[in-house]
Amino acid sequence: MTGARPPGRVEQHIARRLERGAVHFTLIDPDKSPGEKAAGIARGAVDLGSDAILLGGSTGISRDGMGAAARAIRGAVDVPVIIFPEGPGSLTPDADAVLFMSLLNSRNLDLVIRAHARAAPAVRAMHLEPIPLGYLVIAPGMRVGEVGQVDPVPRDDLEGASGYALAAELLGMHLVYLEAGSGAPEPVPAPMVRAVRDALTVPLIVGGGIRSGADARALLDAGAQILVTGTVTEEQGLGGGFREILEEVRRHRG
Ligand code: 1GP
């Protein structure tokens, strides 16, 4: 069979970074940190070793806000700016790529595939690199669990999580993302990360509730390859927990 899409430039960047070990994405919400403020966070994060900037977060982010933040960040750092979409309205041609993600355990078919059908022509027209990704919400799920009308995977259901993750890989998705929900009191449990990692050959992203070096260490030791953090920077800036997390990420590099 021919026609499989080769990885784009952003995926190649991620693959190169994964070759040296743990990878970190900094999530910035352009509503809370617009334009130059977003650029300042991105600069500090990249200086500490973060590998890409995810733009997204709250509901109702305007295309203009996304565009302004993406342009400011791209002017400030030389890592990719990737849209973490909350819907087709958050697409902007000023970013490098978009997580083209299916919310695997949503009861709402819009979030599994229908919104994608509506957004796909815009992704193509904007020349945004789509990164096909399976997104799985683990309890408690927080706001994305509610807005996403999710049946969250229970924290002790290792088999359930592994099944979803492997199904995503077999469907051709290039990455799998385990999400405890932004601001979750605890990250995804390490035993679940271990079980999912063992089931997959594609890279595993873990996010939600990572606030300290100890959190990061437990997840990386369990096999997470890419960590995403957002809240820790919003609450504490680039010091404290964020610095510790990046130290841990750098320790897990060759
Ligand atoms: C949310 O996984 C990300 O989608 C990041 O979560 O805000 O808890 O770091 P936090």
Side-chain angles (χ1 to χ4, degrees), residues 27 54 57 84 135 144 177-184 206-211 228-234:
L27 174 62
L54 295 185
F84 187 176
Y135 187 55
V144 71
Y177 189 148
L178 296 185
E179 170 73 88
S182 186
V206 179
I210 304 170
R211 289 189 175 76
V228 179
T229 64
T231 301
V232 72
T233 331
E234 279 162 15

Side-chain angles (χ1 to χ4, degrees), residues 56-74:
S58 56
T59 47
I61 302 170
S62 74
R63 182 164 293 173
D64 286 353
M66 288 292 275
R71 285 192 299 279
I73 295 167
R74 283 177 87 178

Side-chain angles (χ1 to χ4, degrees), residues 103-112 148-151 164:
L103 180 44
L104 302 171
N105 52 337
S106 175
R107 295 182 300 279
N108 182 346
L109 273 180
D110 265 0
L111 303 174
V112 180
Q149 297 168 53
V150 157
D151 288 330
Y164 269 116

Side-chain angles (χ1 to χ4, degrees), residues 84-180:
F84 187 176
E86 54 105 3
S90 44
L91 298 176
T92 168
D94 292 307
D96 297 292
V98 56
L99 298 181
F100 204 72
M101 50 202 258
S102 175
L103 180 44
L104 302 171
N105 52 337
S106 175
R107 295 182 300 279
N108 182 346
L109 273 180
D110 265 0
L111 303 174
V112 180
I113 186 62
R114 287 180 180 159
H116 310 65
R118 293 194 294 273
V123 169
R124 185 53 52 92
M126 289 180 189
H127 301 288
L128 273 172
E129 178 183 329
I131 301 177
L133 179 147
Y135 187 55
L136 185 62
V137 174
I138 311 302
M142 311 302 284
R143 188 159 162 73
V144 71
E146 288 166 27
V147 176
Q149 297 168 53
V150 157
D151 288 330
V153 178
R155 293 174 67 81
D156 60 356
D157 186 3
L158 310 194
E159 210 175 309
S162 305
Y164 269 116
L166 183 56
E169 173 169 331
L170 299 187
L171 282 165
M173 292 168 183
H174 294 188
L175 294 162
V176 170
Y177 189 148
L178 296 185
E179 170 73 88

